[in-house]
Amino acid sequence: MTLKPTLTALLFSASALAAQDSATGMQQLMILDTQDTRHLEGFLWYPAQANTTVQAHGNAVWEPINVAPDAPALSGQFPLVVLSHGMFGNARNQAWLAERLVAQGYAVAAIDHPGTSTFQRDLDHQRELWNRPKDISRLIDHLSADPRIDAGHIYMAGHSLGGFTAVALAGGRYDPDGFDAFCAAMPDDLVCGIFDRWNVAKSPDDRIAMAQDLSDDRIRAFAVFDLGGTQTFAAKSLGAIDSPVLVYGAPVDLEGLNLDIESRALVAALPSALTTYYEPDSLAHFDFLGVCTENGLVILKDEEPDDAFVCAEGREARRAEHAQIASDVSAFFARH
């Protein structure tokens, strides 16, 4: 087994990056499906040699980050963090985290999950949720041969439905019978309603597919950002997870997630010696998205009023939260 990086080593790496003309390199990713049904598109961000940058991943609502497209990478190999976005999100949603982690010496990659992304909402792909963890394993397959990547040090972070994806990759096993019983007792639960609308695990074959082992032991540690779906997993499987897991719960209720049956329940089920939990008082579910522009909230109130809440307290308060989250995640991964 390769030696684990130490926090000191990564901080030294970050200092070395700062001493150079370094930037966040960006490369577009396309991972083709041999069956031509589930191509994956996304981005790889990495420490790069660059004197100039351009803005990317921003618009009238979301602040961009500064990147150097296709710039040469700095010398050496970088530990890899793979990201999984939330329901109907996309690979750009945690670009803010990618930029901060790249500054600490990581490479970061994210893809759009077909069926549950902003741009791809095919109903069959929504139903086939077992493919979400497989998307991440395919992403790791694709990048493991990249000479810039230290394939012995791979980590994962996921937000919301991406947190569900991360738990499945850590070893959580979907429990069809247990989830059916839970939803019969709590029919108004948010996740029960979503999975029912998407026809998840309705057929015998789909129940088997959802309950399969989707873990990927190449991932050394996980960060789970205000997940939805803890109640879908067999408690025994959560207790058997043997990877370190950092869990964030967001107590400001903007999404309808009940922390008692989501993040808090996940932490109670995971092995305590491997689990770290943070629940900042001011943290909301959508604070894991980017920083809103100065006019972002006004634009949403005018054009998409039902979605305006995603930019509530979405500027300086969120920027401060991002700094803390990125620091926590980087230090957590460096210990493992």
Side-chain angles (χ1 to χ4, degrees):
M1 179 179 291
T2 55
L3 294 175
K4 297 179 181 179
T6 65
L7 179 57
T8 301
L10 275 183
L11 290 175
F12 175 81
S13 174
S15 299
L17 292 178
Q20 305 176 54
D21 286 329
S22 63
T24 300
M26 184 192 75
Q27 177 183 324
Q28 291 189 317
L29 297 175
M30 170 63 82
I31 305 171
L32 298 179
D33 180 6
T34 57
Q35 298 183 10
D36 202 34
T37 61
R38 198 176 177 91
H39 304 311
L40 303 177
E41 298 181 53
F43 303 95
L44 173 69
W45 301 274
Y46 55 92
Q49 305 171 29
N51 293 316
T52 60
T53 60
V54 299
Q55 293 185 332
H57 311 315
N59 55 32
V61 173
W62 302 107
E63 286 192 354
I65 67 169
N66 296 313
V67 302
D70 299 314
L74 297 183
S75 61
Q77 289 189 317
F78 314 110
L80 174 67
V81 178
V82 291
L83 305 176
S84 179
H85 65 73
M87 182 178 73
F88 300 142
N90 59 73
R92 300 158 181 80
N93 285 166
Q94 279 77 50
W96 63 269
L97 179 59
E99 183 179 41
R100 292 173 182 272
L101 290 178
V102 166
Q104 295 295 319
Y106 294 90
V108 183
I111 46 87
D112 296 332
H113 289 286
T116 56
S117 78
T118 308
F119 315 108
Q120 303 175 65
R121 302 194 183 191
D122 177 85
L123 296 180
D124 281 334
H125 284 159
Q126 284 180 18
R127 174 180 61 79
E128 297 169 351
L129 272 185
W130 59 85
N131 279 321
R132 258 184 158 260
K134 291 184 177 182
D135 292 342
I136 298 299
S137 290
R138 288 175 57 199
L139 175 60
I140 293 171
D141 291 342
H142 181 78
L143 292 174
S144 290
D146 190 314
R148 296 168 292 188
I149 302 303
D150 178 358
H153 294 95
I154 298 175
Y155 308 94
M156 181 182 179
H159 172 230
S160 194
L161 189 59
F164 164 90
T165 305
V167 172
L169 284 156
R173 299 284 292 270
Y174 186 85
D175 179 5
D177 293 336
F179 187 51
D180 286 349
F182 174 88
C183 292
M186 298 189 66
D188 294 331
D189 175 69
L190 179 67
V191 174
C192 292
I194 292 170
F195 279 32
D196 183 60
R197 289 195 300 275
W198 290 356
N199 291 314
V200 174
K202 293 292 181 70
S203 73
D205 286 346
D206 283 6
R207 291 170 78 82
I208 292 170
M210 280 295 292
Q212 67 185 292
D213 181 4
L214 296 167
S215 62
D216 192 326
D217 61 9
R218 294 173 294 182
I219 305 173
R220 299 174 68 103
F222 298 81
V224 177
F225 300 151
D226 205 35
L227 87 161
T230 298
Q231 60 274 43
T232 70
F233 294 107
K236 183 177 180 180
S237 71
L238 297 177
I241 287 175
D242 59 2
S243 300
V245 183
L246 169 63
V247 181
Y248 266 91
V252 179
D253 184 11
L254 293 176
E255 174 63 7
L257 293 174
N258 181 340
L259 288 186
D260 288 337
I261 59 176
E262 294 291 2
S263 295
R264 294 170 187 160
L266 175 65
V267 169
L270 292 171
S272 59
L274 295 172
T275 306
T276 301
Y277 184 51
Y278 296 130
E279 190 181 304
D281 291 342
S282 63
L283 192 65
H285 185 75
F286 291 102
D287 286 334
F288 294 99
L289 301 185
V291 173
C292 299
T293 63
E294 186 173 357
N295 296 320
L297 182 59
V298 173
I299 291 170
L300 288 179
K301 284 181 176 179
D302 181 51
E303 298 182 6
E304 301 288 345
D306 290 343
D307 294 333
F309 61 86
V310 303
C311 279
E313 303 295 329
R315 286 188 52 73
E316 296 313 313
R318 185 171 295 176
R319 205 185 309 275
E321 289 167 341
H322 284 182
Q324 186 62 58
I325 291 166
S327 177
D328 293 339
V329 169
S330 177
F332 183 76
F333 287 159
R335 292 196 296 272
H336 303 289

